[in-house]
Amino acid sequence: MNTPLLLLPGLLCDDDLWSAEVVALAVDCDIVIADMTRDDTIAGMASRAVARMPETFAVCGLSMGGYTSMEIMRQVPERVTRLALFDTSPYADPPERVDIRKALIERVEAGDFEGVTGEHFKTFVHPSRHTDDALMGRLRASADNVGPDAYIRQQTAIMGRPDSTDALSGVTCPTLVLCGADDVMTPPSVHDEMAAMIPGATLVKVPGSGHLPTMEKPDDVIRAMRNWLEFA
């Protein structure tokens, strides 16, 4: 019997964030990719995602998807059989970060969606990939699919998220904490702290990757996910 697996994308990301992982894991998993575009709260995103899943399932989220995965652990911990948190943080936004997000929203509302997303892309991936036209084109296509209205909802949800350290301290299922070793948005040090909060968590840092290792170094991510799912 295949493992039900819920995948949750990050800010400005569509299903393509997980394309390599879906191909590699589909033989063993029944995969659902959450719609992260319709809600303006992390709680709403979590509730919508969980409604699509069977009674028990594994969940894996990246960045905003990680915030939502932690909210799922707050809402329905008894339904989650395995948890994976990629390039994310258990902490709420500090006031200065909220101010930055509000300024980005104002720019998008004024019509500068392309400029704002272009700035995001530079921090999403390792600097060596800024000239990777294929990858950057995929990021642009994902952002265009998400669109400015959903971007505003996503940023509103992110800056309103609660601290999730309480949800992590009670996690008892097998947990993978993974990040790009060169992630500047949610640094590896945050993942050290997060893994330490979860009893028995496995910590993986992907060399040569920024904030989006599922796209930047998919083979490394797939290997870690197969070990986490016990398919290796």
Side-chain angles (χ1 to χ4, degrees):
M1 185 170 129
N2 284 1
T3 299
L5 174 60
L6 175 63
L7 302 177
L8 299 109
L11 176 74
L12 287 173
C13 296
D14 64 7
D15 292 5
D16 190 34
L17 179 71
W18 304 103
S19 58
E21 290 73 21
V22 167
V23 170
L25 299 174
V27 68
D28 295 304
C29 297
D30 294 329
I31 298 172
V32 173
I33 301 178
D35 180 357
M36 309 289 282
T37 65
R38 298 168 63 185
D39 299 283
D40 62 3
T41 66
I42 294 297
M45 291 176 177
S47 296
R48 186 182 301 276
V50 166
R52 299 179 60 191
M53 300 307 293
E55 183 60 28
T56 60
F57 56 92
V59 59
C60 175
L62 184 146
S63 195
M64 179 182 70
Y67 309 147
T68 307
S69 299
M70 288 180 259
E71 174 63 24
I72 289 172
M73 296 306 297
R74 186 179 290 109
Q75 291 185 7
V76 289
E78 73 283 355
R79 294 180 60 187
V80 178
T81 58
R82 296 177 187 273
L83 172 67
L85 302 169
F86 293 178
D87 299 271
T88 191
S89 169
Y91 307 117
D93 264 356
E96 61 271 21
R97 187 61 189 162
V98 171
D99 290 341
I100 291 170
R101 294 192 195 278
K102 288 180 177 177
L104 291 169
I105 288 173
E106 289 176 1
R107 287 176 56 191
V108 170
E109 289 175 333
D112 191 24
F113 181 62
E114 185 170 348
V116 166
T117 54
E119 291 174 15
H120 279 301
F121 299 158
K122 292 177 182 177
T123 58
F124 276 5
V125 299
H126 192 278
S128 66
R129 293 187 179 81
H130 291 174
T131 55
D132 183 337
D133 291 341
L135 177 60
M136 301 308 284
R138 290 171 65 193
L139 294 179
R140 168 54 60 193
S142 292
D144 289 344
N145 286 339
V146 170
D149 292 340
Y151 171 82
I152 291 170
R153 287 191 288 272
Q154 290 178 343
Q155 285 284 34
T156 301
I158 291 170
M159 66 186 181
R161 74 186 187 278
D163 182 285
S164 288
T165 54
D166 61 330
L168 295 186
S169 62
V171 171
T172 57
C173 62
T175 301
L176 169 64
V177 175
L178 179 146
C179 67
D182 298 297
D183 185 348
V184 297
M185 295 187 65
T186 51
S189 60
V190 172
H191 295 77
D192 293 337
E193 296 165 9
M194 191 159 47
M197 297 175 191
I198 305 169
T202 298
L203 176 63
V204 174
K205 298 176 184 178
V206 179
S209 179
H211 191 59
L212 302 180
T214 58
M215 298 178 79
E216 297 180 68
K217 299 293 286 290
D219 289 346
D220 291 36
V221 174
I222 290 164
R223 187 178 308 112
M225 290 184 75
R226 291 188 71 85
N227 286 333
W228 166 63
L229 294 163
E230 299 188 341
F231 298 148

